[in-house]
Amino acid sequence: MTKILIIEDEQPAGEYLTQLIQKIDPKTEILNVLDSVETAVDWLSDNSCPDLIFLDVQLGDGTCFQIFEQISIGCPVIFTTAHDEYAMRAFKLNSIDYLLKPIRQESLKFSLEKYYQLNEENAISKVKYLEELMHNQILNRKSPRRSFLVPYRDKLIPLKDSDFGWLTIKNGVVVATLHDDRNFVVDKSLEELENQLDPTNFFRANRQFIISRECISEIELYFNGRLLVRTTPSSSNQILISKERVPVFKKWFEELS
């Protein structure tokens, strides 16, 4: 039975999508229908990851992309929206399809069949793909950036990449925590930093964190096949490695040292 979570801020649309999914495949289980960024983050933090998420782009308290900034989602996502201007951004976030409203039964059926096909094929190949992708990125990447100038009050502070313990998103900006526990705002996105930092020393743990090898103090087995990474200095938010990325993380930690 496929366990599905629906995140949709319009109740009639959520009910319609629920009925349509169960009409196409009666074996599915709709775990919940959530209506906001806040409720989605809370639910995903307290529950095991579903098999599949239907995610409306525009929610009552923001866009769905704010969910990815606060929590790691380790399952496939099918985006739903009345507009297509977010399509390219959506396809970078676990997306297997992108449905325009009003959702037609034929389109939904195609999306579900695509999910089932990928789910069967990806049991082994997804891990191999992630490993190959990581190594290809390392091979094709330019020389890593070693120096940064970060603003602090009325100054620019010079920092080395080796100063960074971990980097995360806080209140919409990227904050670097140094090994000495000082914090500085970095005027770049996590995506930009991921492409600039040395991949042998830094790992994109999830949508919210980039961690350095040197800051890792402990790695704990976590529920649902994930890993919990503890750091020095410690983070006030949990740093989780999704089940899908665990093999990539282990390969990075053990083989790229």
Side-chain angles (χ1 to χ4, degrees), residues 118-249:
L118 289 173
N119 195 43
E120 292 177 0
E121 296 174 350
N122 282 2
I124 298 176
S125 63
K126 186 173 183 180
V127 171
K128 291 183 177 178
Y129 167 76
L130 288 171
E131 292 177 352
E132 291 174 1
L133 179 63
M134 182 182 72
H135 286 290
N136 287 338
Q137 287 177 336
I138 292 172
L139 291 173
N140 296 329
R141 189 171 293 182
K142 297 177 181 178
S143 297
R145 183 171 178 176
R146 301 297 184 186
S147 300
F148 295 81
L149 288 175
V150 298
Y152 182 71
R153 297 179 180 173
D154 58 346
K155 302 177 182 178
L156 290 174
I157 306 296
L159 296 175
K160 297 179 180 179
D161 63 330
S162 57
D163 294 326
F164 296 146
W166 41 268
L167 304 101
T168 189
I169 298 174
K170 291 183 179 180
N171 299 320
V173 298
V174 173
V175 177
T177 296
L178 309 189
H179 292 293
D180 61 9
D181 209 13
R182 289 183 296 162
N183 294 285
F184 292 94
V185 172
V186 180
D187 188 21
K188 292 186 180 296
S189 68
L190 281 185
E191 286 71 24
E192 289 175 306
L193 290 165
E194 182 183 9
N195 289 324
Q196 293 177 3
L197 290 168
D198 186 347
T200 62
N201 294 326
F202 291 89
F203 185 81
R204 183 68 180 268
N206 52 49
R207 297 289 173 185
Q208 192 177 3
F209 280 93
I210 295 176
I211 56 177
S212 72
R213 183 187 303 277
E214 297 303 319
C215 81
I216 298 174
S217 56
E218 289 183 344
I219 303 169
E220 297 182 11
L221 299 178
Y222 204 69
F223 76 91
N224 202 29
R226 294 178 290 177
L227 296 178
L228 173 62
V229 178
R230 298 195 183 279
T231 60
T232 302
S234 62
S235 166
S236 59
N237 294 321
Q238 288 184 328
I239 304 177
L240 295 173
I241 309 293
S242 69
K243 180 179 180 180
E244 290 78 10
R245 286 184 60 77
V246 165
V248 183
F249 173 75

Side-chain angles (χ1 to χ4, degrees), residues 86-103:
Y86 295 105
M88 290 305 297
R89 186 175 182 185
F91 271 110
K92 296 180 180 180
L93 300 172
N94 297 19
S95 176
I96 61 171
D97 215 340
Y98 188 89
L99 294 174
L100 288 175
K101 298 179 180 179
I103 297 172

Side-chain angles (χ1 to χ4, degrees), residues 14-147:
E15 293 174 351
Y16 172 72
L17 183 55
T18 298
Q19 294 171 3
L20 207 54
I21 292 171
Q22 294 183 327
K23 180 180 179 180
I24 294 171
D25 186 356
K27 294 181 180 180
T28 56
E29 177 186 357
I30 306 301
L31 298 175
N32 210 331
V33 180
L34 308 173
D35 62 359
S36 67
V37 172
E38 182 179 2
T39 57
V41 170
D42 289 344
W43 193 95
L44 289 164
S45 298
D46 295 335
N47 295 272
S48 297
C49 191
D51 297 318
L52 177 64
I53 296 177
F54 281 84
L55 181 53
D56 187 15
V57 173
Q58 293 281 7
L59 298 170
D61 58 347
T63 70
C64 68
F65 303 112
Q66 293 171 263
I67 299 173
F68 290 89
E69 293 175 355
Q70 299 179 59
I71 192 168
S72 176
I73 296 179
C75 69
V77 176
I78 295 176
F79 288 87
T80 64
T81 183
H83 309 282
D84 62 0
E85 66 265 30
Y86 295 105
M88 290 305 297
R89 186 175 182 185
F91 271 110
K92 296 180 180 180
L93 300 172
N94 297 19
S95 176
I96 61 171
D97 215 340
Y98 188 89
L99 294 174
L100 288 175
K101 298 179 180 179
I103 297 172
R104 296 180 301 158
Q105 182 173 332
E106 301 79 23
S107 300
L108 179 58
K109 184 178 180 181
F110 177 83
S111 295
L112 285 172
E113 289 175 348
K114 185 177 180 181
Y115 162 73
Y116 294 138
Q117 181 180 358
L118 289 173
N119 195 43
E120 292 177 0
E121 296 174 350
N122 282 2
I124 298 176
S125 63
K126 186 173 183 180
V127 171
K128 291 183 177 178
Y129 167 76
L130 288 171
E131 292 177 352
E132 291 174 1
L133 179 63
M134 182 182 72
H135 286 290
N136 287 338
Q137 287 177 336
I138 292 172
L139 291 173
N140 296 329
R141 189 171 293 182
K142 297 177 181 178
S143 297
R145 183 171 178 176
R146 301 297 184 186
S147 300

